[in-house]
Amino acid sequence: MSESSTKPALPTVRDAHGNTRSVATLFELSRTGRQGVTLPPLDEGADETALMQSILPEGWQRKRPARLPEVSQLEMIRHYVNLSQLNHSIDNNFYPLGSCSMKYNPKICDWVGNQPAFNLVHPEVPQALAQGTLGALYTLQAYLKDLTGFCAVSLQPAAGAHGELAGMMMIRAYHQRQGNTARTEVLVPDSAHGTNPASAAMCGFDVVEIKSNERGLVDLNALRAALSDRTAAIMLTNPNTVGLFEEDILSITQMVHEAGGLCYYDGANLNAIMGRAKVAHMGFDVMHLNTHKTFATPHGGGGPGSGPVAANEKLEPFLPKPTVEQRPDGTYWLNHDRPDALGQLKLFYGNTEVLLRALAYLVCYGGDGLREVSEKAVLNANYLKARLKETYHEPFTQTCMHEFILTSRHQRADNKDINTMALAKRLMDYGFHPPTVYFPLIIPEIMMIEPTETESKETLDRFVQAMVQIADEAKTQPDLVLDAPHTTPVKRVDEVAAVKQLDLNYFANHAQGAGN
Ligand SMILES: *Cc1c(COP(=O)(O)O)cnc(C)c1O
């Protein structure tokens, strides 16, 4: 198709500096015949079709060439660089997204994960030729056992939620093995992450919600009332999602065990306690770790994750296979020969590149370093909490762990149009990623702030300054807050229209005639 003057103008946006940037897709930029890379022609007389037929069997060949964008190399590179400039990332600015541990990603972890000796290994290569990778994964298993106090680890699951699913399947298998099919209920506190009840429900369990008390902790009376011979397990996050350590943790796990249930620990908040407390010592039977929260590879961009599961002797036989093991002669192998194990949850060895980054992180910090990480994460959160509590309402006044919650109650008392969403949007104009908002559901107008250990005092002070200034704006110039954000490429979106006129087909609706 020839270039036509009737093509719609390519879409652009203004970035935070007021510069115009293209957001056209590569298909819109495409022009027939343009190339990014020029390869020399095939030898004189070579028959491309015959060559293709000699490689691919008849039925597997395309009838038509693939519809790929045709762009120059420079256009392609600018396309991706432009898009990257429009995103907020941990490499741009502060990212206090509670429950997500958006700490920095040490570049050495990327370097390790990108080593050709690891990432050029074909997943089907014989194990004898993948000894380096297997050895690294074996070492990671050993470190995670040490850090959690559990006797066994499987690196299979692809994320925290996947680890929860594995844990719930293990618990179900355990009760079935005991001949106990009446244990159909899983207890989940009302502050839990949504993946907890979802994972339990996916395994066929009935979810029983446990109320939090007025101090934001599990209400022991509510727990006692919920326990019965139908209890299969409790799923608990500690410190919980409002950043509080469960003071009665030992009583909680003991009560559940006495009722014949098992205890699952959601490890998303491990950043608060690693090197200080071992999960197994709190009485839990099985847990997942979010390596992409606790050990580099922050996942805010929706990138790959990894959710290893760790278990005690009771549940170890059910861990997903394969696990990595070492022979007496020092060589490593993948053990698929575990008769009670859950099947394989992930292809090949798990998300190896994320696991290698986690190993690099653990090696770089070492035991004392990890303890310091959790101490500083808790210190930073308490510093922010102390500096913001004059301006914003604090539902819970105790010392927090690695994250804490505030609400917009004071600001709403002055102007009922102001809410937490508006304050969060305004924060974007100051260059910060907003904290997690409206989660957990137990507190209205909540914001959950997790600074992590890797932010400097100067950055934390800039954040405090912005938060205080926004509270002032909410009082004196409410429209500035209610219409925010003003400087981002995408301004305040119409959330009602987004639901009622959902439009997911960019090409059909916006790009008629684009491309070729
Ligand atoms: C992030 C998170 C999860 C889910 O983990 P993913 O790795 O995102 O699947 C579960 N529980 C809590 C408390 C979390 O913060």
Side-chain angles (χ1 to χ4, degrees):
M1 193 198 288
S2 66
E3 257 183 70
S4 118
S5 55
T6 59
K7 273 184 204 241
L10 293 178
T12 58
V13 295
R14 286 190 183 275
D15 68 13
H17 307 288
N19 297 321
T20 302
R21 291 189 182 274
S22 163
V23 286
T25 64
L26 282 177
F27 288 95
E28 289 170 286
L29 296 173
S30 180
R31 294 296 177 267
T32 305
R34 236 171 242 176
Q35 276 181 299
V37 187
T38 318
L39 295 173
L42 291 176
D43 290 344
E44 194 83 36
D47 179 345
E48 268 188 63
T49 312
L51 186 66
M52 194 55 77
Q53 276 163 359
S54 72
I55 299 169
L56 275 182
E58 182 74 37
W60 292 20
Q61 289 165 34
R62 288 183 176 281
K63 304 285 177 290
R64 269 167 264 112
R67 186 171 173 261
L68 297 175
E70 297 177 74
V71 291
S72 71
Q73 193 170 105
L74 193 53
E75 284 169 323
M76 197 267 299
I77 290 170
R78 283 182 186 156
H79 172 75
Y80 286 111
V81 171
N82 267 309
L83 290 183
S84 78
Q85 306 290 303
L86 295 171
N87 275 335
H88 187 95
S89 77
I90 198 75
D91 289 343
N92 289 126
N93 209 339
F94 190 44
Y95 207 137
L97 198 62
S99 214
C100 290
S101 292
M102 298 300 296
K103 56 167 88 183
Y104 86 138
N105 184 38
K107 295 304 167 216
I108 191 165
C109 299
D110 284 344
W111 182 83
V112 170
N114 286 331
Q115 283 307 300
F118 289 126
N119 69 15
L120 293 186
V121 176
H122 192 279
E124 299 276 20
V125 86
Q127 290 177 32
L129 299 179
Q131 286 293 302
T133 302
L134 289 174
L137 297 178
Y138 180 83
T139 309
L140 177 61
Q141 286 179 181
Y143 284 169
L144 296 183
K145 284 186 227 171
D146 190 28
L147 202 61
T148 60
F150 285 112
C151 69
V153 168
S154 168
L155 302 174
Q156 278 271 306
H162 203 200
E164 290 171 28
L165 182 69
M168 285 296 109
M169 290 167 75
M170 291 162 66
I171 287 171
R172 189 179 57 185
Y174 173 84
H175 287 307
Q176 276 170 358
R177 176 54 53 94
Q178 307 283 307
N180 198 337
T181 50
R183 295 198 175 270
T184 53
E185 292 179 352
V186 170
L187 314 185
V188 182
D190 56 6
S191 60
H193 195 272
T195 50
N196 289 189
S199 301
M202 276 185 76
C203 281
F205 288 116
D206 299 323
V207 176
V208 178
E209 189 178 276
I210 307 291
K211 288 263 163 283
S212 302
N213 64 22
E214 69 289 346
R215 297 182 65 237
L217 303 171
V218 170
D219 185 329
L220 291 190
N221 289 325
L223 174 61
R224 193 168 295 115
L227 287 168
S228 73
D229 51 15
R230 291 186 305 278
T231 306
I234 189 170
M235 294 183 89
L236 208 65
T237 311
N238 188 34
N240 65 17
T241 56
V242 292
L244 300 174
F245 194 92
E246 293 288 350
E247 293 162 10
D248 296 313
I249 191 68
L250 294 175
S251 310
I252 293 170
T253 52
Q254 190 182 347
M255 283 164 69
V256 174
H257 282 146
E258 281 171 5
L262 295 175
C263 299
Y264 183 91
Y265 180 95
D266 177 329
N269 291 342
L270 204 68
N271 210 43
I273 61 160
M274 61 177 175
R276 303 272 315 177
K278 297 195 184 197
V279 174
H281 296 174
M282 297 180 209
F284 287 89
D285 300 290
V286 54
M287 71 176 291
H288 78 259
L289 299 98
N290 303 65
T291 60
H292 49 283
K293 292 180 181 176
T294 312
F295 316 119
T297 327
H299 70 162
S306 169
V309 265
N312 62 12
E313 284 81 2
K314 233 186 253 176
L315 291 178
E316 182 272 330
F318 307 104
L319 276 173
K321 63 184 178 184
T323 45
V324 185
E325 286 168 38
Q326 190 174 29
R327 297 188 187 89
D329 69 359
T331 57
Y332 304 97
W333 59 294
L334 286 171
N335 187 358
H336 284 273
D337 185 22
R338 300 178 46 239
D340 290 332
L342 305 180
Q344 192 158 357
L345 294 184
K346 183 84 178 69
L347 286 175
F348 308 112
Y349 306 178
N351 267 347
T352 310
E353 284 198 9
V354 179
L355 296 168
L356 290 168
R357 283 181 173 83
L359 176 62
Y361 185 93
L362 288 163
V363 170
C364 287
Y365 276 101
D368 290 343
L370 294 175
R371 165 192 280 262
E372 210 180 314
V373 163
S374 57
E375 284 174 358
K376 294 233 167 88
V378 172
L379 179 65
N380 278 359
N382 278 286
Y383 175 71
L384 280 188
K385 186 173 190 276
R387 291 217 45 203
L388 288 171
K389 70 180 182 190
E390 300 296 315
T391 311
Y392 291 92
H393 162 245
E394 293 190 291
F396 305 119
T397 52
Q398 321 73 311
T399 303
C400 66
M401 296 296 287
H402 65 306
E403 65 189 3
F404 64 102
I405 58 169
L406 299 172
T407 84
S408 53
R409 182 191 283 184
H410 300 334
Q411 289 69 36
R412 288 171 66 73
D414 288 337
N415 180 341
K416 65 174 179 20
D417 290 337
I418 298 285
N419 59 14
T420 293
M421 188 58 82
L423 301 174
K425 301 263 188 208
R426 180 63 180 148
L427 204 47
M428 294 157 114
D429 287 334
Y430 287 84
F432 296 117
H433 193 288
T436 298
V437 293
Y438 298 98
F439 170 79
L441 307 174
I442 55 172
I443 306 284
E445 297 295 331
I446 190 173
M447 48 190 129
M448 188 207 293
I449 301 171
E450 178 179 0
T452 79
E453 73 286 357
T454 49
E455 297 298 341
S456 67
K457 179 165 178 300
E458 291 75 18
T459 301
L460 300 183
D461 287 339
R462 275 198 300 122
F463 179 71
V464 169
Q465 212 176 1
M467 288 290 285
V468 170
Q469 202 159 325
I470 291 169
D472 186 58
E473 289 169 354
K475 205 182 274 184
T476 57
Q477 309 170 70
D479 286 345
L480 190 62
V481 176
L482 290 169
D483 296 338
H486 303 277
T487 61
T488 50
V490 177
K491 306 290 182 283
R492 183 61 80 100
V493 291
D494 182 339
E495 287 176 16
V496 176
V499 174
K500 300 221 156 156
Q501 297 161 27
L502 190 62
D503 168 11
L504 297 174
N505 196 333
Y506 181 81
F507 269 98
N509 299 323
H510 305 281
Q512 284 101 346
N516 56 357

